[in-house]
Amino acid sequence: MSEVLLEVKNLKKYFPIKDNLLKTTIGQVKAVNGVSFTINKGEAFGLAGESGSGKTTVGRTILRMNDKTEGIVKFDGVDVHSLSKKALTKLRPQMQYIFQDPYSSLNPRMRIGDAIAQPLLEHGLARKSNVREKVLELLKVCGLSDYQIDRFPHEFSGGQRQRIVIARALALNPKLIIADEPVSALDVSIQAQIINLFSDLKDEKGLSYLFISHDLSVIEHLCTRIAIMYLGNIVEIADRDELFKNPLHPYTKALLSAVPIPDPTIKRNRIILTGDIPNPANPPSGCKFHTRCPYAMDKCKEVDPIFRKISPAHEVACHLV
């Protein structure tokens, strides 16, 4: 049986809505509203959904970049949100975050060698005498050349900058990497290179990933289990092959219908969802997807569906199943 590295249980993150005049709280944006899942050691777990579904907030709250509203986040058996600042600082090297825009996460005035060396020196994992050697090794692992160590971020392409950010994340030998849309801004050919790099690093270093993306075709290549998220909730979790062969939730079916097939002779029946994702400050009653679901019943408008296990590798929250 696989050993659990990350356990997320009933995680909630609400952001207060303030009245500009009275400075009082007049409502809550329920960005994450009761999310639960686990990630095993050495596993790549995908989190997919439209923009605004709460995926990034989940990732940031797991690493305590946001304080939780409710719920439990356990990393290697340790409750992350109960740690003191000092204890959290010690735990930080084991959990790393890769942001969507690599350029904004790099200091434009800092050479990339110094950007990668900084966390090594701050956490005592290298000395000034040997830090350059370690940085060169990381650059090589991520497909960059020695001569590039003294260059600035603006001197690199988007794909190269993403490799730099990955090298910086790997510098601290983490157990878990949360990658937030790491290839969405890259050309398709560069996307494939970065996905292959993630896959190689997983095999070589035994890394675990929480891979966040709106693109299921990208998640399919890297992840072994996938969770589908809608308006702050997970609506379906399944093994990759099971999800693509037998999607159960109407929202999952709609997302999969948008995945392109690399064969011009095959046509997929596209499911076009009407309307926009509802306001998380005022979510619909019952099933949150019923306002856009083509199969919605009266029950869907009134009763929130229970998350149920359909098979050992497949769970879903839908009255239709």
Side-chain angles (χ1 to χ4, degrees):
M1 188 174 179
S2 301
E3 190 176 351
V4 174
L5 177 66
L6 179 72
E7 180 184 3
V8 179
K9 190 173 182 180
N10 196 34
L11 182 64
K12 296 181 181 180
K13 176 58 185 175
Y14 299 166
F15 294 97
I17 302 172
K18 298 286 186 180
D19 182 276
N20 288 333
L21 183 62
L22 300 176
K23 304 298 181 184
T24 56
T25 300
I26 58 173
Q28 302 277 355
V29 175
K30 298 178 179 179
V32 178
N33 195 21
V35 164
S36 301
F37 61 88
T38 59
I39 298 177
N40 298 322
K41 290 185 177 179
E43 180 184 24
F45 184 88
L47 188 60
E50 291 172 288
S51 297
S53 59
K55 308 184 300 297
T56 295
T57 305
V58 168
R60 293 176 68 90
T61 307
I62 286 171
L63 291 193
R64 208 167 143 183
M65 287 187 257
N66 297 326
D67 288 327
K68 68 175 184 179
T69 300
E70 193 178 308
I72 296 171
V73 177
K74 285 188 176 180
F75 175 79
D76 226 357
V78 177
D79 188 340
V80 176
H81 285 262
S82 68
L83 294 175
S84 64
K85 286 186 177 181
K86 186 176 181 181
L88 183 62
T89 301
K90 286 185 178 180
L91 188 66
R92 283 282 184 216
Q94 298 181 47
M95 303 184 294
Q96 292 295 299
Y97 200 97
I98 295 176
F99 295 91
Q100 180 175 355
D101 182 3
Y103 190 68
S104 65
S105 61
L106 292 168
N107 187 337
R109 298 182 180 181
M110 183 180 285
R111 300 178 192 275
I112 63 116
D114 295 331
I116 298 170
Q118 188 178 39
L120 286 167
L121 295 171
E122 286 188 2
H123 289 277
L125 298 177
R127 298 178 180 178
K128 287 186 177 180
S129 58
N130 69 343
V131 70
R132 188 176 178 88
E133 181 183 338
K134 286 182 176 289
V135 171
L136 289 171
E137 184 181 338
L138 285 164
L139 290 176
K140 184 178 179 181
V141 167
C142 293
L144 295 166
S145 302
D146 292 1
Y147 69 87
Q148 294 173 313
I149 190 171
D150 293 318
R151 289 186 173 181
F152 291 93
H154 72 269
E155 298 178 84
F156 295 90
S157 67
Q160 288 175 320
R161 283 197 287 265
Q162 197 61 278
R163 289 174 184 271
I164 294 164
V165 172
I166 293 169
R168 187 176 61 181
L170 290 174
L172 300 176
N173 296 318
K175 294 181 180 179
L176 173 70
I177 289 180
I178 297 178
D180 184 7
E181 301 273 12
V183 298
S184 62
L186 306 178
D187 293 338
V188 175
S189 59
I190 305 300
Q191 282 186 9
Q193 293 176 23
I194 299 299
I195 293 298
N196 288 337
L197 174 60
F198 274 116
S199 182
D200 292 343
L201 291 172
K202 175 180 173 292
D203 295 337
E204 292 170 12
K205 297 182 177 292
L207 290 171
S208 298
Y209 293 116
L210 173 57
F211 199 90
I212 297 169
S213 179
H214 66 275
D215 190 341
L216 278 168
S217 61
V218 170
I219 283 182
E220 182 185 10
H221 288 291
L222 181 67
C223 301
T224 51
R225 277 196 307 140
I226 301 170
I228 305 297
M229 194 167 177
Y230 182 79
L231 202 63
N233 293 96
I234 289 177
V235 297
E236 189 167 1
I237 296 179
D239 287 347
R240 174 188 58 205
D241 295 340
E242 172 71 13
L243 188 81
F244 276 78
K245 288 179 182 177
N246 184 33
L248 296 176
H249 199 282
Y251 181 60
T252 308
K253 293 177 182 179
L255 291 181
L256 287 172
S257 76
V259 176
I261 300 173
D263 186 343
T265 62
I266 300 175
K267 290 186 178 181
R268 177 172 276 158
N269 294 325
R270 181 73 192 275
I271 301 172
I272 306 295
L273 296 176
T274 58
D276 296 320
I277 192 165
N279 185 353
N282 185 28
S285 60
C287 174
K288 293 181 177 64
F289 186 61
H290 84 258
T291 59
R292 305 173 71 195
C293 180
Y295 313 107
M297 307 175 291
D298 290 339
K299 184 180 181 181
C300 301
K301 301 173 184 179
E302 300 168 2
V303 182
D304 196 8
I306 298 170
F307 207 70
R308 294 179 294 124
K309 184 168 282 192
I310 306 303
S311 69
H314 206 153
E315 296 173 88
V316 68
C318 182
H319 292 306
L320 297 168
V321 180

